[in-house]
Amino acid sequence: MEPLILEMGMGADVHGRDMTKAALRAISDAIRHSSLTVFHAYKHPSEMRVEVTIGVPDPDKLDKQAVAEALPFGTVDVTVVKGGLDDVGMGGAEDITLAVAGVKAWLDTSDHPFTLKG
C-alpha cells in the first residue's frame, strides 16, 4: 500500500468537555479540506486503509467506534493519545475541550496505470 494523503484537523466541544464530540469535529475539519479524487480514480476507495490518530485530554472518554464511523471509506484504525487541550478558565459547562486529528490514507496502487513517483 502507498500512503496517499495526510490531513490534520482540530475540533472543539465548547460546552461539556465531550472528547468524542471534539474528535468528530477534528475529523470533519481534516477531511473537508481534501478533495480525494485520486481514490475514485482507482475505482476502489473502500479498499483504502485509514489510520487516525486523535489527541484529546482524556483518551479514556473517547468513543473510538464513533470516530471510525465518521470516515466515509476504507478500513479505519483509530489510535487515541493524550493531547489536545482543556481550557477550564470559564468553569463548568463553559469549559472547552480541543481535539487534534491526524488522518492518513493508504491504497494499493499496483495494477493501475496511475503511478506515484518515488
Side-chain angles (χ1 to χ4, degrees):
M1 296 199 123
E2 295 288 337
L4 297 179
I5 188 163
L6 167 61
E7 286 291 338
M8 305 300 284
M10 191 275 301
D13 176 27
V14 295
H15 301 288
R17 299 181 66 192
D18 187 316
M19 304 297 143
T20 302
K21 185 185 286 186
L24 292 173
R25 289 176 175 167
I27 292 292
S28 175
D29 183 48
I31 65 175
R32 76 171 179 253
H33 290 125
S34 302
S35 177
L36 305 179
T37 57
V38 68
F39 294 111
H40 289 285
Y42 281 97
K43 307 291 186 214
H44 303 287
S46 63
E47 293 177 8
M48 75 174 131
R49 185 179 86 222
V50 180
E51 296 175 1
V52 175
T53 303
I54 301 282
V56 292
D58 193 347
D60 293 334
K61 292 184 178 177
L62 183 96
D63 182 346
K64 289 172 61 172
Q65 184 63 35
V67 170
E69 290 172 359
L71 281 294
F73 298 110
T75 302
V76 181
D77 180 43
V78 178
T79 300
V80 185
V81 299
K82 187 161 180 64
L85 174 73
D86 265 335
D87 182 356
V88 295
M90 299 298 286
E94 281 69 44
D95 289 350
I96 298 170
T97 295
L98 297 177
V100 179
V103 180
K104 294 183 235 178
W106 306 70
L107 189 64
D108 182 359
T109 59
S110 61
D111 299 324
H112 195 281
F114 178 85
T115 59
L116 299 174
K117 292 187 177 187

